[in-house]
């Protein structure tokens, strides 16, 4: 595979070498080959320049998923601007924070939200607002349509910023991770090589564009390999299965896999051409991995990444894909475990730290927060706990902030969740700590049940006592209809902690 030193060259080189090779296709039958994508990004780039956007300026967008939304990202790469993707679920108050913090030269909003967006942007010091819809509508689309000459491709150093990606921010204010162009290049190259991407590959894309997984991890590797993407505006199991009939790649979050498995339409034949299923962003249960393999004959490849670091580790393409593990460090990435707090099967669980060309340049205008997450020797402290097994594979035990400390003992939620999930009738579980008058924190479990199953709290807790040390066994177990999750499928333990904060009557 060719090595590039600028991310826009992924598009430019394909447009020159194989101009008519397919690149993007949407739900409405719009198809763009690489030459058309290069041209369209050039015209969008010209519209950005017309609005006064210059190298290093931020362009924030809160728009629905579409090919034009992907093109905003490519146009920004082309003219050297910095994209700031924002979740469409953010409220006006949240939006005000992101705009005031990132100070974009331009904010692209949904046509349906124009008035509110303009008000919030003006109050936050951003004077330019344009709109962009999903069907080439909105004021920005009209401005693009008027452009005649594509913007020149701006040369930007790999240390230049490509994006500010705001972290999910489950504790405190979310921070803007400064992703450089060099980060994108290094990670896309590593993934395209590790996962053997070739121009003939076709990815089914159902992830949102405001998160690192959908915007960068999946698209960049495909662009770097000059492959193509079938873009769906959302994840819908039947539509996805139908689309997989002509695809070779799928990248999803664990919830996608459980929802695919719930559909009888998922058969070996329906995914016959797919050579790689990748999962990330949240833990994939070993049970889901096994169920998927026995249904389809394909072993899901799990990998581990985060907003600040893109992808750190991946199970191997060839060789053992270990269910329950996130695999081995990607080439160029170093992973170590520090501050080990406990020995588990002779391996130390501790803080996962990473160093490599994938790690972001720090947090936007927050040098103290940047410094707090870096060690003296340049490793990034991920905030995740884990262990490296005898084969060198990384296993994640949970977030450090989710660690429960009860009566002075550390309890790793993942261990309890695995024990709960293995019990009959339990579909999913989340273990968390809430204030307890005696123990400081009380280990607490929320579970969902397999349809038509009843469980008795005391019976389940008694069953756990057979396999876990007493201090690890939850003090209480609550049955709920559904675990609260964010749009990337991550269980929101902060919400569970809020809901059950008075469970032990403090
Ligand atoms: P985000 O920055 O929103 O992508 O969230 C990153 C966090 O998601 C990581 O720090 C991990 O806690 C979690 N995560 C990502 N991938 C995995 C995975 N394969 N298994 C378990 N947790 C994961």
């Amino acid at each position: 595979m060719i090595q590039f030193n600028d991310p826009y060259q992924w598009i430019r080189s394909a447009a020159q070498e194989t101009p008519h090779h397919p690149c993007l296709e949407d739900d409405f039958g719009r198809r763009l080959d690489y030459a058309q994508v290069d041209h369209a990004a050039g015209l969008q780039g010209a519209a950005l320049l017309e609005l006064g956007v210059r190298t290093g300026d931020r362009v924030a967008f809160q728009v629905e998923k579409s090919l034009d939304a992907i093109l905003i990202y490519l146009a920004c790469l082309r003219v050297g601007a910095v994209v700031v993707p924002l979740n469409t679920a953010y409220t006006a108050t949240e939006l005000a924070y992101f705009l005031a913090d990132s100070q974009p030269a331009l904010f692209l909003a949904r046509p349906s939200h124009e008035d509110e967006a303009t008000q919030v942007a003006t109050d936050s010091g951003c004077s330019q607002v344009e709109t962009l819809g999903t069907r080439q509508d909105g004021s920005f689309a009209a401005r693009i349509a008027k452009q005649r000459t594509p913007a020149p491709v701006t040369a930007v150093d790999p240390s230049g910023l490509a994006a500010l990606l705001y972290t999910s921010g489950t504790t405190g204010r979310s921070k803007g991770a400064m992703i450089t162009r060099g980060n994108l290049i290094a990670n896309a190259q590593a993934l395209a090589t590790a996962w053997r991407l070739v121009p003939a590959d076709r990815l089914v894309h159902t992830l949102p564009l405001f998160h690192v997984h959908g915007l960068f991890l999946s698209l960049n590797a495909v662009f770097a390999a000059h492959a193509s993407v079938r873009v769906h505006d959302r994840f819908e199991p039947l539509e996805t299965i139908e689309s997989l009939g002509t695809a070779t790649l799928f990248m999803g979050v664990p919830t996608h896999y459980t929802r695919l498995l719930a559909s009888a339409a998922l058969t070996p034949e329906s995914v016959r051409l797919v050579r790689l299923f990748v999962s990330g962003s949240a833990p994939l249960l070993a049970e889901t991995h096994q169920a998927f393999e026995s249904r389809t004959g394909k072993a899901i490849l799990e990998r581990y990444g985060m907003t600040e670091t893109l992808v750190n580790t991946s199970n191997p393409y060839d060789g053992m894909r270990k269910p329950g593990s996130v695999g081995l460090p990607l080439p160029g990435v170093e992973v170590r475990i520090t501050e080990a707090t406990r020995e588990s099967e002779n391996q130390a669980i501790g803080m996962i730290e990473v160093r490599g060309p994938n790690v972001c340049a720090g947090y936007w205008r927050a040098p103290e927060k940047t410094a707090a997450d870096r060690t003296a020797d340049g490793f990034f402290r991920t905030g995740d706990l884990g262990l490296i097994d005898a084969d060198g594979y990384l296993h994640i035990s949970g977030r450090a902030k989710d660690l429960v400390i009860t009566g002075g003992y550390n309890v790793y939620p993942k261990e309890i969740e695995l024990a709960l999930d293995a019990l009959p009738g339990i579909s999913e579980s989340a273990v968390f700590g809430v204030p307890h008058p005696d123990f400081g924190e009380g280990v607490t479990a929320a579970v969902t049940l397999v349809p038509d199953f009843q469980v008795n709290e005391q019976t389940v807790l008694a069953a756990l006592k057979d396999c876990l040390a007493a201090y690890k066994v939850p003090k209480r177990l609550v049955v709920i209809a559904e675990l609260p999750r964010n749009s990337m499928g991550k269980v929101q333990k902060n919400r569970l902690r809020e809901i059950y904060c008075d469970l032990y009557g403090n």
Side-chain angles (χ1 to χ4, degrees), residues 158-447:
S159 62
L161 292 191
L164 283 189
L165 290 188
Y166 281 90
T167 55
S168 318
T170 43
T171 49
R173 282 288 194 186
S174 99
K175 300 167 277 188
M178 298 190 287
I179 310 292
T180 67
R181 297 166 78 97
N183 291 148
L184 300 185
I185 284 286
N187 215 229
Q189 188 77 37
L191 293 181
T193 308
W195 297 342
R196 310 269 201 279
L197 265 66
V198 292
D201 274 317
R202 180 174 159 93
L203 171 80
V204 172
H205 191 292
T206 61
L207 291 158
L209 293 178
F210 50 74
H211 186 268
V212 64
H213 194 167
L215 183 62
F216 289 153
L217 307 185
S218 37
L219 290 179
N220 291 347
V222 168
F223 292 150
H226 297 173
S228 64
V229 191
R230 174 68 171 86
V231 179
H232 293 285
D233 56 5
R234 70 207 142 85
F235 174 82
E236 201 284 311
L238 269 183
E239 188 181 62
T240 303
I241 293 168
E242 200 184 311
S243 196
L244 287 170
T246 54
T248 60
L249 302 170
F250 181 72
M251 299 184 196
V253 296
T255 332
H256 291 164
Y257 289 103
T258 46
R259 290 181 58 196
L260 288 174
L261 275 166
S263 169
L266 182 77
T267 60
E269 185 53 29
S270 67
V271 294
R272 191 173 56 83
L273 297 177
V274 184
R275 64 170 184 85
L276 183 60
F277 283 98
V278 180
S279 175
S281 289
L284 180 76
L285 292 181
E287 183 185 283
T288 310
H289 186 288
Q290 280 140 6
F292 198 85
E293 187 166 10
S294 55
R295 175 88 70 87
T296 64
K298 318 264 175 179
I300 300 170
L301 180 151
E302 188 174 8
R303 58 52 175 190
Y304 159 55
M306 59 198 306
T307 303
E308 292 93 330
T309 65
L310 311 178
V311 178
N312 299 312
T313 67
S314 168
N315 272 279
Y317 188 80
D318 295 317
M320 196 191 349
R321 296 182 194 169
K322 276 195 193 185
S325 157
V326 293
L328 304 159
L330 285 176
V333 179
E334 294 167 80
V335 177
R336 71 181 184 192
I337 304 291
T338 60
E339 303 165 21
T341 50
R342 188 190 73 159
E343 299 290 311
S344 159
E345 293 149 22
N346 299 324
Q347 282 130 2
I349 291 187
M351 174 67 75
I352 302 172
E353 296 185 349
V354 298
R355 183 165 71 176
N358 55 317
V359 178
C360 74
Y363 295 116
W364 175 249
R365 295 186 177 163
E368 68 302 339
K369 288 182 185 150
T370 302
D373 285 340
R374 306 275 161 149
T375 63
D377 56 353
F379 276 79
F380 173 74
R381 305 173 85 249
T382 61
D384 290 318
L385 298 172
L387 63 82
I388 295 176
D389 70 16
D391 300 319
Y393 283 60
L394 182 66
H395 299 250
I396 297 180
S397 317
R399 297 287 294 163
K401 64 177 186 320
D402 291 335
L403 178 75
V404 187
I405 305 182
T406 183
Y409 289 105
N410 287 354
V411 175
Y412 297 86
K414 179 84 181 280
E415 187 182 0
I416 324 306
E417 287 158 8
L418 289 174
L420 277 166
D421 295 345
L423 296 176
I426 293 188
S427 170
E428 287 186 308
S429 61
V431 169
F432 52 98
V434 288
H436 189 288
D438 272 350
F439 297 99
E441 280 189 297
V443 182
T444 308
V447 298

